Amino acid sequence: MSKISENNLETTTDKAKKSSRRDFFKRTAAYSVGAIAATNILAPAKLLADDENIVHHVEWGTTLGDELNKHPYGIPSAYEHNVVRRTSALLSSAGDMHAAVSMTPLHELEGIITPNGLHFTRTHNGVAHVDPNKFRLMIHGLVEKPIVLTLDELKKYPSESRLLFLECPANGAAEWKGPQFNSLQFVKGMMSNAEWTGVRLKTILDEIGLKPTAKWMLAEGSDGSEMSRTVPVEKVLDDAMIVWAQNGEALRPEQGYPVRLMLPGWEANLCVKWLKRLEFGAEPWYCKEETSKYTVLMPSGKAIQHFYPLEVNSIITTPCPEKPWSDLKKGDLVEVEGIAWSGHGTIKAVDISFDGGDNYVEASLKGLVLPKSWTRFSYMYRYEGKPLLLQSRAMDDAGFVQPSISQEKAIMGLEGVYHRNSICTWEVRQDGSVHNVQVRTDNCPS
Ligand SMILES: Nc1nc2c(c(=O)[nH]1)N[C@H]1C(S)=C(S)[C@@H](COP(=O)(O)O)O[C@H]1N2
Ligand SMILES: [Mo]
């Protein structure tokens, strides 16, 4: 296969520990064999008359279960111990895990909600632990009535809940130079999707009055990094939120407890955590995070500033390097699944290619299809037992289509760090193993 460039790096995920999940899958197949045979989704596993797991003799059925006060706050099954966020020394400041990122195990997620304990986390100075009684939010600058709010006061405003993705613009940054990680978690895990609850910033500003000269808002965090970004006032008045809840409970410390800024569809870096101050001004602040970082370097040597929304994007999550098709046999009907999202709006359609982008079929979108939120896509495929170059290509309702790697490189050059949204390719080999590769389809620098 000459059109792919190989990835030689070992995966950092622990495939060996996945056996408990695989056993469970087999057991389910055997148990519901009648229904499955009718639709011919799986070749029915051989039923063994002496399989003692089918009806009786399971150890949990012959003893008392746990007392209900054992875990006042619930925890996942011990068998799911391998479903965790992961860090990489490569994606940290010289291996220091205070200025680092931990990645969501996308291959283990179902639906579109990321459980709070699995939300990807990026910090510049470690996870701050804010005392909610000492929390204050100051809103000042070009406003009529500057205010300082306590947490209780903030929560008195009418609240709103929205399903929104959060993605670091550096998601997949290592991949600009060629395939780096043979892992979905490390290629695309700097993103998550959750239901966020809080107040629209516009609601507060309607009350305290924005001066007509206010064009920009500075958001500043209270953690040791005092991370700051400036946001144009149009976005602030459009759909910006100050949120205090995530999937129905208080924000996790990692996500900015007690309060963070949420800018739907925009770079997660702008969504300042452990929020302490919003200041309105006439000009952008040009903070460190928008001058030396989070600018987009173009081939000309010039850099684009104020580059905010995340582009239309998608990734196949089944199969993937962590979830190979090794158990499949020729003729099995199997579901290809993935996630699509766009900071510009709602996902319109997702195409899937099995041959590296020469031909595409349309996937179906399943479940909720919402703006600036993950959308699940699915395609039932008859496995031919042959090698594949699997790709997904998403389109949004703003008219954007995910570019090929060649198209993206032709415009953005090779020195990119942020906003990588080109089509990803999983190579499915003859043995069903899945590998992160890059496909060159037209004339462009490789
Ligand atoms: N105060 C503060 N806010 C912050 C950061 C930080 O280090 N400090 N990191 C930013 C970056 S770079 C990203 S990608 C997102 C990550 O949000 P998450 O950790 O909730 O996923 O938070 C942003 N907000
Ligand atoms: Mo980030």
Side-chain angles (χ1 to χ4, degrees), residues 429-444:
R429 295 197 184 150
Q430 189 70 50
D431 62 0
S433 63
V434 180
H435 303 263
N436 176 26
V437 298
Q438 295 188 359
V439 175
R440 293 175 218 130
T441 46
D442 31 74
N443 295 331
C444 81

Side-chain angles (χ1 to χ4, degrees), residues 119-122 124 168 223 255 260 268-269 271 273 294:
H119 198 286
F120 93 95
T121 300
R122 167 78 170 112
H124 293 70
C168 175
D223 56 319
Q255 269 56 66
R260 83 180 301 165
N269 177 259
C271 301
K273 306 192 279 191
Y294 301 97

Side-chain angles (χ1 to χ4, degrees), residues 8-26:
N8 294 316
L9 280 187
E10 271 297 303
T11 170
T12 20
T13 50
D14 188 349
K15 284 183 209 159
K17 288 187 191 155
K18 286 183 58 67
S19 57
S20 64
R21 258 184 100 81
R22 216 170 280 146
D23 289 349
F24 175 73
F25 187 67
K26 274 189 199 144

Side-chain angles (χ1 to χ4, degrees), residues 152-170:
D152 286 343
E153 286 164 348
L154 183 65
K155 287 184 178 177
K156 285 191 177 130
Y157 283 100
S159 69
E160 196 173 296
S161 298
R162 275 192 81 175
L163 277 164
L164 297 167
F165 76 81
L166 203 60
E167 183 184 22
C168 175

